[in-house]
Amino acid sequence: MTGTYRALHERSLRDSEGFWAEAAEGIHWYRRWERVLDASRAPFYRWFAGGQLNTCYNALDRHVEQGRGEQAALIYDSPVTNTVQSFTYRELLERVARFAGALVRQGVTKGDRVIIYMPMVPEAVVAMLACARIGAIHSVVFGGFASRELAARIDDAKPKVIVSASCGIEAARVISYKPLLDEAIHLASHKPSACFIVQRPQLRALLVQGRDVDWQQAVEGAPLADCVPVEATDPLYILYTSGTTGQPKGIVRDNGGHAVALLWTMKHVYGVSPGEVYWAASDVGWVVGHSYIVYAPLLNGNTTVLYEGKPVGTPDAGAFWRVISQHGVSAMFTAPTAFRAIKRDDPNGEWLKKYDLSKFRTLFLAGERCDPDTLRWAETMLRRPVIDHWWQTETGWAIVANPMGIEPLPVKVGSPTVPMPGYDVRVLDEEGREVEPDRIGAIVVKLPLPPGCLPTLWNADARYVDAYLSAFKGYYLTGDAGFKDADGYVYIMSRIDDIINVAGHRLSTGAMEEVLASHPDVAECAVLGAADSLKGEVPLGFLVLKAGVQRPHEDIVKEVVQLVRDKIGPVAAFKTATVVQRLPKTRSGKILRGTMKKIADGTEYKVPATIDDAATLDEVAEALRKAGYARKDG
Ligand code: COA
Ligand code: AMP
C-alpha cells in the first residue's frame, strides 16, 4: 500500500477537525460552523455545530445557479412501465420546490416528520428533497414491508403527512399500496393529518375523503417553496432498520455531516466527476438509495439513475447492460445478489456482448458479503475493477472501501479493502483487547464516528448507547465480526447478532420469531439464516407445536409462512419452515442457532459440550434434509 491513502487516513484520525473542515468547503453554508466537532455531550458527538445549511439547496439550487440547470439530474428508467424520463436540474428543482410548497400548504414545517412509502418513481425523490428543502424530516419506508411494519414506523416517527402511491410494480405483479397504507394507519395510534397519493395509471387508488389528496391536485397552484436554513445538527431523515427485536431502530441522519461526508465520497471513493452519470441499482427505501440514488450524486452534480426494475426478468439478464449503455453510466453500485441473479441466467455473459459499455469504469458492490465467485465472474465479464465495500444504514457511507479516487489499491478477494477517513476500525476480543492480524473478533470503530454517521436513534438516546456504545467503552459496535490482515485489509465474516442478510436486505430473525410465536399452535420456534446461492441467506423456521395439536404440519407451515408475509412483508422471503419435536438447546436453555445453521449449510460442526440433548441435533438434521438442506457432509 503506497503512501497516498495511508497518509490521508492517518491525517483524518490525527487532525479530524482539519480534515473534515477542508471537505466542508465543498458545501454551501448559510452560516459557518462554530466547532467542526462538538464533543461537549460525548458520546453524543455533533459535527459542524453552529453551522447552517440546506441539503436541498446544495443538491439542486446551487447547481442551477452555477450553470448545471440544463444537465440531466435524474433519469427515471422503468422497464416495468416502459418509461424513460429525464429531468434536468432546473426541472427537478421546480418540481421539488412545488411539492415543498404543497407540504407547507398542508401545514408541514421545519422539524415535522413526513413518511414516504413509495415505489421507485420520481415523486419519491421529489418528496425526499422537498422535505429537505423545508427542514421537514423524511422517513422512507421500503415498499416490500407490510402494514404492521409501516404502522410501527408511523407510531415512532409520528408523521404529520404520509406520501404514497396507488401501486408498486414488481416484475410479476402490480402491488396495491393503498390498502397497505390504510391498514397501517388503522393499526397505528398516531394518525397523519393528510396523505398525498401519486395515482399511477396501472392501478388507481380510492382516496379517503378528508384525508387523502391526489398528488396532482396537491401541487396544482401550490407556491414554490424556498429553502429553509437548518442547523447542521438538525435531522435530515430517519431511516428505520432491523434491530434485534421486532421494534426497528430509527437511524437519525443529520444535515451537515451527511452532506460533507457524502460529497467527499463521490470523488474519493467512487472516483466520479460532476457531470458524469452515476447509477445505484437499489431502492430509495434502503440506505443505499438514500445516499447513492438521491443525495450524494446530486450533491456532486452528477446525473443519477432511478431504476424501477430488476437485474433479471425486466425483461432479461441484459437489463443492467442496457441501462449502462443507454444512459452512459460511468460508475454503478448494486448488491452482489443482483450479479448472482445475472450470472445464473446468463453465465457466459451473452447479453453483455450486445451493448456498448465504453463509458463504464467501475462496479461497486455492497450490502452483503461478496462471495469470491461472484466477484471473479463480474471482473471477468466486465474487464473493469469490481470494488466491494462495507457499510451500514447506521454509517450512511462506506466504513471500509477501496478509495478509487485517491489511490486504487490491489483488490484482495473477500475483503472490502481498507478503512475510509475518519474510521478508526479495530478488531476486539470478548474482553475488549485488540486481536492480532488474521484473528477474528468483533469489528468496532473508535469514537467519534466521522461525519454522516448516526448521531443517535430517533427519540431513543438510551437505546443508541445500549445497542452500539455499551459493549466496549469508547467504541461503536458494528455488529459484524471479522478480521484485519497484516496489510490492514478488513474482512467481514458474519454478524454477532440475529441479523440476517437476504438479497442485500437486512432482516431480524428475532422479529420473525416473534411472528411465528404468535401462531396459536406454536409453542416454541427458532429462525436462522441458511446459505442461499442467489440471495446469500434465506430465513428458515423451526416450529415446536403445543402439546395436543393434531392438525397437519403442512397446514401450520403454510399459515406461518403467510403470517410472516402479512406481518413483516414479502421482503422477508420467508418460505420454509419445518416442525420438530424439540429445539436443540444448551443446558441453560439457549437455542443453538449457530449449530443449526451449520447443519443447514452443510458445513462442519461440533456437538457443543453444553448441549442438553444431542439427539435434538439429529432431529434437526433430518428435518433439514427433508426440506432440501444439509446436503453436504457435516
Ligand atoms: N414492494 C413490494 N414488494 C416487493 C418490493 C417492493 N418494493 N421489493 C421486493 N418485493 C417482493 C418481491 O416481489 C418478492 O415477492 P414474492 O415473494 O411474491 O416473489 C419478495 O418481496 C422478495 O423480494 P426480493 O428479495 O427482491 O426477491 P426477488 O426474487 O423478487 O428478486 C433479486 C431477487 C436478487 C433479483 C432482487 O433481490 C434484487 O434485484 N436485488 C438487487 C439488490 C438490491 O436491491 N439490494 C438492496 C440493497 S443495495
Ligand atoms: P444495511 O444496514 O442494511 O446496509 O446492512 C448492513 C450490514 O450488511 C452490515 O452490518 C453487514 O453485516 C452487511 N454488509 C454490508 N456490506 C457488506 C460487505 N461489503 N461485506 C460484508 N457484509 C456487508
mmCIF file of all heavy atoms in Angstrom, residues 468-505:
data_model
loop_
_atom_site.group_PDB
_atom_site.id
_atom_site.type_symbol
_atom_site.label_atom_id
_atom_site.label_comp_id
_atom_site.label_asym_id
_atom_site.label_seq_id
_atom_site.Cartn_x
_atom_site.Cartn_y
_atom_site.Cartn_z
ATOM 1 N N TYR A 468 -25.201 0.290 20.720
ATOM 2 C CA TYR A 468 -23.963 0.479 19.954
ATOM 3 C C TYR A 468 -22.734 0.828 20.790
ATOM 4 O O TYR A 468 -21.621 0.592 20.355
ATOM 5 C CB TYR A 468 -24.155 1.614 18.932
ATOM 6 C CG TYR A 468 -25.243 1.355 17.929
ATOM 7 C CD1 TYR A 468 -26.462 2.025 17.990
ATOM 8 C CD2 TYR A 468 -25.053 0.432 16.896
ATOM 9 C CE1 TYR A 468 -27.462 1.788 17.061
ATOM 10 C CE2 TYR A 468 -26.046 0.193 15.959
ATOM 11 C CZ TYR A 468 -27.253 0.875 16.056
ATOM 12 O OH TYR A 468 -28.231 0.630 15.128
ATOM 13 N N LEU A 469 -22.921 1.458 21.938
ATOM 14 C CA LEU A 469 -21.754 2.015 22.625
ATOM 15 C C LEU A 469 -21.429 1.324 23.943
ATOM 16 O O LEU A 469 -20.422 1.645 24.564
ATOM 17 C CB LEU A 469 -21.957 3.522 22.888
ATOM 18 C CG LEU A 469 -22.365 4.382 21.684
ATOM 19 C CD1 LEU A 469 -22.435 5.840 22.084
ATOM 20 C CD2 LEU A 469 -21.412 4.198 20.512
ATOM 21 N N SER A 470 -22.301 0.411 24.377
ATOM 22 C CA SER A 470 -22.087 -0.121 25.720
ATOM 23 C C SER A 470 -21.232 -1.389 25.744
ATOM 24 O O SER A 470 -20.654 -1.719 26.774
ATOM 25 C CB SER A 470 -23.430 -0.375 26.409
ATOM 26 O OG SER A 470 -24.141 -1.310 25.652
ATOM 27 N N ALA A 471 -21.103 -2.094 24.615
ATOM 28 C CA ALA A 471 -20.348 -3.358 24.632
ATOM 29 C C ALA A 471 -18.871 -3.088 24.941
ATOM 30 O O ALA A 471 -18.266 -3.772 25.762
ATOM 31 C CB ALA A 471 -20.499 -4.079 23.301
ATOM 32 N N PHE A 472 -18.300 -2.083 24.281
ATOM 33 C CA PHE A 472 -16.891 -1.731 24.511
ATOM 34 C C PHE A 472 -16.806 -0.218 24.668
ATOM 35 O O PHE A 472 -17.097 0.516 23.711
ATOM 36 C CB PHE A 472 -16.031 -2.177 23.316
ATOM 37 C CG PHE A 472 -16.105 -3.647 23.030
ATOM 38 C CD1 PHE A 472 -16.836 -4.116 21.945
ATOM 39 C CD2 PHE A 472 -15.473 -4.572 23.854
ATOM 40 C CE1 PHE A 472 -16.923 -5.477 21.672
ATOM 41 C CE2 PHE A 472 -15.555 -5.934 23.587
ATOM 42 C CZ PHE A 472 -16.281 -6.390 22.504
ATOM 43 N N LYS A 473 -16.425 0.218 25.839
ATOM 44 C CA LYS A 473 -16.428 1.659 26.132
ATOM 45 C C LYS A 473 -15.497 2.399 25.167
ATOM 46 O O LYS A 473 -14.353 2.005 24.965
ATOM 47 C CB LYS A 473 -15.989 1.878 27.581
ATOM 48 C CG LYS A 473 -16.460 3.213 28.102
ATOM 49 C CD LYS A 473 -16.287 3.319 29.600
ATOM 50 C CE LYS A 473 -16.324 4.743 30.096
ATOM 51 N NZ LYS A 473 -17.072 5.707 29.354
ATOM 52 N N GLY A 474 -16.037 3.469 24.570
ATOM 53 C CA GLY A 474 -15.217 4.267 23.659
ATOM 54 C C GLY A 474 -15.252 3.790 22.220
ATOM 55 O O GLY A 474 -14.601 4.372 21.352
ATOM 56 N N TYR A 475 -16.026 2.727 21.967
ATOM 57 C CA TYR A 475 -16.096 2.179 20.611
ATOM 58 C C TYR A 475 -17.542 1.995 20.162
ATOM 59 O O TYR A 475 -18.409 1.676 20.972
ATOM 60 C CB TYR A 475 -15.412 0.809 20.545
ATOM 61 C CG TYR A 475 -13.939 0.867 20.823
ATOM 62 C CD1 TYR A 475 -13.461 0.673 22.119
ATOM 63 C CD2 TYR A 475 -13.033 1.117 19.796
ATOM 64 C CE1 TYR A 475 -12.097 0.728 22.375
ATOM 65 C CE2 TYR A 475 -11.679 1.171 20.055
ATOM 66 C CZ TYR A 475 -11.213 0.979 21.340
ATOM 67 O OH TYR A 475 -9.873 1.033 21.596
ATOM 68 N N TYR A 476 -17.739 2.157 18.868
ATOM 69 C CA TYR A 476 -19.032 1.866 18.240
ATOM 70 C C TYR A 476 -19.016 0.401 17.786
ATOM 71 O O TYR A 476 -18.096 -0.026 17.062
ATOM 72 C CB TYR A 476 -19.233 2.810 17.043
ATOM 73 C CG TYR A 476 -20.322 2.375 16.089
ATOM 74 C CD1 TYR A 476 -21.661 2.664 16.342
ATOM 75 C CD2 TYR A 476 -20.010 1.665 14.919
ATOM 76 C CE1 TYR A 476 -22.654 2.256 15.465
ATOM 77 C CE2 TYR A 476 -21.003 1.259 14.035
ATOM 78 C CZ TYR A 476 -22.320 1.557 14.322
ATOM 79 O OH TYR A 476 -23.303 1.146 13.451
ATOM 80 N N LEU A 477 -20.023 -0.342 18.207
ATOM 81 C CA LEU A 477 -20.116 -1.763 17.852
ATOM 82 C C LEU A 477 -20.829 -1.890 16.514
ATOM 83 O O LEU A 477 -21.991 -1.496 16.389
ATOM 84 C CB LEU A 477 -20.918 -2.484 18.940
ATOM 85 C CG LEU A 477 -21.026 -3.995 18.838
ATOM 86 C CD1 LEU A 477 -19.701 -4.661 19.215
ATOM 87 C CD2 LEU A 477 -22.142 -4.506 19.758
ATOM 88 N N THR A 478 -20.140 -2.449 15.511
ATOM 89 C CA THR A 478 -20.786 -2.534 14.191
ATOM 90 C C THR A 478 -21.778 -3.690 14.124
ATOM 91 O O THR A 478 -22.647 -3.694 13.265
ATOM 92 C CB THR A 478 -19.742 -2.747 13.069
ATOM 93 O OG1 THR A 478 -19.131 -4.034 13.250
ATOM 94 C CG2 THR A 478 -18.687 -1.654 13.063
ATOM 95 N N GLY A 479 -21.585 -4.697 14.993
ATOM 96 C CA GLY A 479 -22.455 -5.878 14.926
ATOM 97 C C GLY A 479 -21.909 -6.930 13.982
ATOM 98 O O GLY A 479 -22.451 -8.018 13.867
ATOM 99 N N ASP A 480 -20.820 -6.591 13.279
ATOM 100 C CA ASP A 480 -20.190 -7.563 12.382
ATOM 101 C C ASP A 480 -18.936 -8.118 13.043
ATOM 102 O O ASP A 480 -18.276 -7.432 13.829
ATOM 103 C CB ASP A 480 -19.806 -6.896 11.053
ATOM 104 C CG ASP A 480 -21.021 -6.644 10.179
ATOM 105 O OD1 ASP A 480 -21.799 -7.585 9.975
ATOM 106 O OD2 ASP A 480 -21.207 -5.502 9.726
ATOM 107 N N ALA A 481 -18.614 -9.363 12.693
ATOM 108 C CA ALA A 481 -17.366 -9.970 13.153
ATOM 109 C C ALA A 481 -16.465 -10.182 11.952
ATOM 110 O O ALA A 481 -16.949 -10.378 10.831
ATOM 111 C CB ALA A 481 -17.662 -11.303 13.826
ATOM 112 N N GLY A 482 -15.168 -10.123 12.182
ATOM 113 C CA GLY A 482 -14.234 -10.318 11.080
ATOM 114 C C GLY A 482 -12.821 -10.099 11.555
ATOM 115 O O GLY A 482 -12.549 -10.132 12.749
ATOM 116 N N PHE A 483 -11.918 -9.822 10.603
ATOM 117 C CA PHE A 483 -10.515 -9.631 10.996
ATOM 118 C C PHE A 483 -9.827 -8.644 10.057
ATOM 119 O O PHE A 483 -10.381 -8.267 9.026
ATOM 120 C CB PHE A 483 -9.784 -10.974 11.008
ATOM 121 C CG PHE A 483 -9.728 -11.672 9.666
ATOM 122 C CD1 PHE A 483 -8.672 -11.476 8.789
ATOM 123 C CD2 PHE A 483 -10.756 -12.538 9.274
ATOM 124 C CE1 PHE A 483 -8.623 -12.119 7.558
ATOM 125 C CE2 PHE A 483 -10.721 -13.191 8.039
ATOM 126 C CZ PHE A 483 -9.649 -12.977 7.182
ATOM 127 N N LYS A 484 -8.630 -8.239 10.488
ATOM 128 C CA LYS A 484 -7.765 -7.413 9.637
ATOM 129 C C LYS A 484 -6.545 -8.244 9.300
ATOM 130 O O LYS A 484 -6.063 -8.996 10.160
ATOM 131 C CB LYS A 484 -7.290 -6.189 10.417
ATOM 132 C CG LYS A 484 -8.241 -5.029 10.418
ATOM 133 C CD LYS A 484 -7.469 -3.749 10.699
ATOM 134 C CE LYS A 484 -7.918 -3.082 11.965
ATOM 135 N NZ LYS A 484 -7.241 -1.841 12.280
ATOM 136 N N ASP A 485 -6.019 -8.121 8.080
ATOM 137 C CA ASP A 485 -4.780 -8.845 7.791
ATOM 138 C C ASP A 485 -3.580 -7.934 8.071
ATOM 139 O O ASP A 485 -3.748 -6.784 8.502
ATOM 140 C CB ASP A 485 -4.790 -9.436 6.366
ATOM 141 C CG ASP A 485 -4.660 -8.380 5.277
ATOM 142 O OD1 ASP A 485 -4.375 -7.199 5.610
ATOM 143 O OD2 ASP A 485 -4.824 -8.725 4.096
ATOM 144 N N ALA A 486 -2.395 -8.448 7.804
ATOM 145 C CA ALA A 486 -1.183 -7.704 8.166
ATOM 146 C C ALA A 486 -1.064 -6.398 7.371
ATOM 147 O O ALA A 486 -0.384 -5.464 7.799
ATOM 148 C CB ALA A 486 0.036 -8.587 7.943
ATOM 149 N N ASP A 487 -1.725 -6.320 6.213
ATOM 150 C CA ASP A 487 -1.691 -5.085 5.415
ATOM 151 C C ASP A 487 -2.785 -4.107 5.814
ATOM 152 O O ASP A 487 -2.969 -3.076 5.168
ATOM 153 C CB ASP A 487 -1.887 -5.407 3.918
ATOM 154 C CG ASP A 487 -0.771 -6.264 3.387
ATOM 155 O OD1 ASP A 487 0.369 -6.112 3.878
ATOM 156 O OD2 ASP A 487 -1.041 -7.087 2.493
ATOM 157 N N GLY A 488 -3.574 -4.457 6.811
ATOM 158 C CA GLY A 488 -4.642 -3.549 7.245
ATOM 159 C C GLY A 488 -5.931 -3.725 6.461
ATOM 160 O O GLY A 488 -6.876 -2.954 6.636
ATOM 161 N N TYR A 489 -5.997 -4.729 5.576
ATOM 162 C CA TYR A 489 -7.259 -5.014 4.875
ATOM 163 C C TYR A 489 -8.246 -5.632 5.876
ATOM 164 O O TYR A 489 -7.871 -6.470 6.690
ATOM 165 C CB TYR A 489 -7.031 -6.017 3.736
ATOM 166 C CG TYR A 489 -6.524 -5.410 2.450
ATOM 167 C CD1 TYR A 489 -5.347 -4.657 2.421
ATOM 168 C CD2 TYR A 489 -7.206 -5.592 1.248
ATOM 169 C CE1 TYR A 489 -4.882 -4.111 1.232
ATOM 170 C CE2 TYR A 489 -6.747 -5.052 0.057
ATOM 171 C CZ TYR A 489 -5.585 -4.312 0.050
ATOM 172 O OH TYR A 489 -5.131 -3.784 -1.122
ATOM 173 N N VAL A 490 -9.498 -5.208 5.752
ATOM 174 C CA VAL A 490 -10.531 -5.691 6.675
ATOM 175 C C VAL A 490 -11.346 -6.781 5.974
ATOM 176 O O VAL A 490 -11.633 -6.678 4.774
ATOM 177 C CB VAL A 490 -11.451 -4.520 7.099
ATOM 178 C CG1 VAL A 490 -12.565 -4.996 8.017
ATOM 179 C CG2 VAL A 490 -10.630 -3.424 7.781
ATOM 180 N N TYR A 491 -11.715 -7.813 6.723
ATOM 181 C CA TYR A 491 -12.559 -8.902 6.199
ATOM 182 C C TYR A 491 -13.792 -9.005 7.083
ATOM 183 O O TYR A 491 -13.660 -9.105 8.305
ATOM 184 C CB TYR A 491 -11.796 -10.237 6.226
ATOM 185 C CG TYR A 491 -10.636 -10.278 5.264
ATOM 186 C CD1 TYR A 491 -9.463 -9.567 5.535
ATOM 187 C CD2 TYR A 491 -10.714 -10.998 4.075
ATOM 188 C CE1 TYR A 491 -8.396 -9.579 4.636
ATOM 189 C CE2 TYR A 491 -9.652 -11.021 3.176
ATOM 190 C CZ TYR A 491 -8.502 -10.307 3.456
ATOM 191 O OH TYR A 491 -7.453 -10.314 2.568
ATOM 192 N N ILE A 492 -14.963 -8.980 6.463
ATOM 193 C CA ILE A 492 -16.217 -9.078 7.216
ATOM 194 C C ILE A 492 -16.729 -10.499 7.063
ATOM 195 O O ILE A 492 -16.987 -10.947 5.943
ATOM 196 C CB ILE A 492 -17.278 -8.089 6.669
ATOM 197 C CG1 ILE A 492 -16.704 -6.684 6.534
ATOM 198 C CG2 ILE A 492 -18.553 -8.113 7.503
ATOM 199 C CD1 ILE A 492 -16.273 -6.051 7.826
ATOM 200 N N MET A 493 -16.893 -11.210 8.168
ATOM 201 C CA MET A 493 -17.218 -12.630 8.072
ATOM 202 C C MET A 493 -18.662 -12.964 8.443
ATOM 203 O O MET A 493 -19.283 -13.810 7.814
ATOM 204 C CB MET A 493 -16.274 -13.444 8.954
ATOM 205 C CG MET A 493 -14.799 -13.218 8.633
ATOM 206 S SD MET A 493 -14.412 -13.409 6.876
ATOM 207 C CE MET A 493 -14.619 -15.170 6.682
ATOM 208 N N SER A 494 -19.185 -12.349 9.492
ATOM 209 C CA SER A 494 -20.531 -12.736 9.944
ATOM 210 C C SER A 494 -21.071 -11.676 10.893
ATOM 211 O O SER A 494 -20.357 -10.744 11.271
ATOM 212 C CB SER A 494 -20.459 -14.070 10.684
ATOM 213 O OG SER A 494 -19.565 -13.940 11.781
ATOM 214 N N ARG A 495 -22.308 -11.841 11.304
ATOM 215 C CA ARG A 495 -22.898 -10.947 12.304
ATOM 216 C C ARG A 495 -22.724 -11.571 13.685
ATOM 217 O O ARG A 495 -22.679 -12.794 13.823
ATOM 218 C CB ARG A 495 -24.396 -10.761 12.041
ATOM 219 C CG ARG A 495 -24.759 -9.971 10.829
ATOM 220 C CD ARG A 495 -24.497 -8.508 10.933
ATOM 221 N NE ARG A 495 -25.206 -7.847 12.029
ATOM 222 C CZ ARG A 495 -25.265 -6.521 12.185
ATOM 223 N NH1 ARG A 495 -24.672 -5.718 11.335
ATOM 224 N NH2 ARG A 495 -25.903 -5.999 13.208
ATOM 225 N N ILE A 496 -22.683 -10.701 14.692
ATOM 226 C CA ILE A 496 -22.629 -11.239 16.048
ATOM 227 C C ILE A 496 -24.010 -11.236 16.693
ATOM 228 O O ILE A 496 -24.164 -11.583 17.843
ATOM 229 C CB ILE A 496 -21.629 -10.457 16.937
ATOM 230 C CG1 ILE A 496 -22.010 -8.977 17.008
ATOM 231 C CG2 ILE A 496 -20.212 -10.624 16.449
ATOM 232 C CD1 ILE A 496 -21.151 -8.186 17.986
ATOM 233 N N ASP A 497 -25.016 -10.786 15.929
ATOM 234 C CA ASP A 497 -26.371 -10.766 16.488
ATOM 235 C C ASP A 497 -27.289 -11.600 15.600
ATOM 236 O O ASP A 497 -26.819 -12.408 14.810
ATOM 237 C CB ASP A 497 -26.861 -9.322 16.632
ATOM 238 C CG ASP A 497 -26.728 -8.558 15.319
ATOM 239 O OD1 ASP A 497 -26.614 -9.197 14.256
ATOM 240 O OD2 ASP A 497 -26.731 -7.316 15.353
ATOM 241 N N ASP A 498 -28.607 -11.391 15.702
ATOM 242 C CA ASP A 498 -29.514 -12.254 14.942
ATOM 243 C C ASP A 498 -29.964 -11.610 13.631
ATOM 244 O O ASP A 498 -30.987 -11.965 13.077
ATOM 245 C CB ASP A 498 -30.723 -12.629 15.814
ATOM 246 C CG ASP A 498 -31.614 -11.435 16.089
ATOM 247 O OD1 ASP A 498 -31.250 -10.320 15.677
ATOM 248 O OD2 ASP A 498 -32.680 -11.607 16.706
ATOM 249 N N ILE A 499 -29.168 -10.666 13.131
ATOM 250 C CA ILE A 499 -29.490 -10.059 11.836
ATOM 251 C C ILE A 499 -29.062 -11.010 10.717
ATOM 252 O O ILE A 499 -27.981 -11.592 10.778
ATOM 253 C CB ILE A 499 -28.713 -8.728 11.661
ATOM 254 C CG1 ILE A 499 -29.045 -7.739 12.777
ATOM 255 C CG2 ILE A 499 -28.906 -8.138 10.273
ATOM 256 C CD1 ILE A 499 -30.305 -6.993 12.637
ATOM 257 N N ILE A 500 -29.943 -11.169 9.716
ATOM 258 C CA ILE A 500 -29.518 -11.916 8.533
ATOM 259 C C ILE A 500 -29.657 -11.006 7.321
ATOM 260 O O ILE A 500 -30.300 -9.956 7.375
ATOM 261 C CB ILE A 500 -30.315 -13.228 8.330
ATOM 262 C CG1 ILE A 500 -31.827 -12.938 8.213
ATOM 263 C CG2 ILE A 500 -30.018 -14.205 9.440
ATOM 264 C CD1 ILE A 500 -32.617 -14.157 7.761
ATOM 265 N N ASN A 501 -29.031 -11.417 6.230
ATOM 266 C CA ASN A 501 -28.990 -10.582 5.054
ATOM 267 C C ASN A 501 -29.574 -11.358 3.880
ATOM 268 O O ASN A 501 -28.967 -12.309 3.394
ATOM 269 C CB ASN A 501 -27.530 -10.204 4.794
ATOM 270 C CG ASN A 501 -27.442 -8.975 3.959
ATOM 271 O OD1 ASN A 501 -28.105 -8.876 2.936
ATOM 272 N ND2 ASN A 501 -26.639 -8.025 4.394
ATOM 273 N N VAL A 502 -30.771 -10.970 3.463
ATOM 274 C CA VAL A 502 -31.489 -11.702 2.419
ATOM 275 C C VAL A 502 -31.556 -10.815 1.172
ATOM 276 O O VAL A 502 -32.199 -9.771 1.191
ATOM 277 C CB VAL A 502 -32.919 -12.062 2.889
ATOM 278 C CG1 VAL A 502 -33.652 -12.856 1.813
ATOM 279 C CG2 VAL A 502 -32.872 -12.845 4.193
ATOM 280 N N ALA A 503 -30.856 -11.215 0.117
ATOM 281 C CA ALA A 503 -30.795 -10.440 -1.122
ATOM 282 C C ALA A 503 -30.375 -8.990 -0.840
ATOM 283 O O ALA A 503 -30.950 -8.053 -1.382
ATOM 284 C CB ALA A 503 -32.141 -10.485 -1.862
ATOM 285 N N GLY A 504 -29.397 -8.820 0.035
ATOM 286 C CA GLY A 504 -28.917 -7.471 0.347
ATOM 287 C C GLY A 504 -29.845 -6.720 1.278
ATOM 288 O O GLY A 504 -29.611 -5.559 1.583
ATOM 289 N N HIS A 505 -30.911 -7.369 1.738
ATOM 290 C CA HIS A 505 -31.847 -6.723 2.666
ATOM 291 C C HIS A 505 -31.580 -7.217 4.073
ATOM 292 O O HIS A 505 -31.487 -8.423 4.316
ATOM 293 C CB HIS A 505 -33.301 -7.049 2.294
ATOM 294 C CG HIS A 505 -33.635 -6.760 0.868
ATOM 295 N ND1 HIS A 505 -34.430 -7.579 0.117
ATOM 296 C CD2 HIS A 505 -33.260 -5.756 0.060
ATOM 297 C CE1 HIS A 505 -34.545 -7.085 -1.103
ATOM 298 N NE2 HIS A 505 -33.832 -5.974 -1.166
#
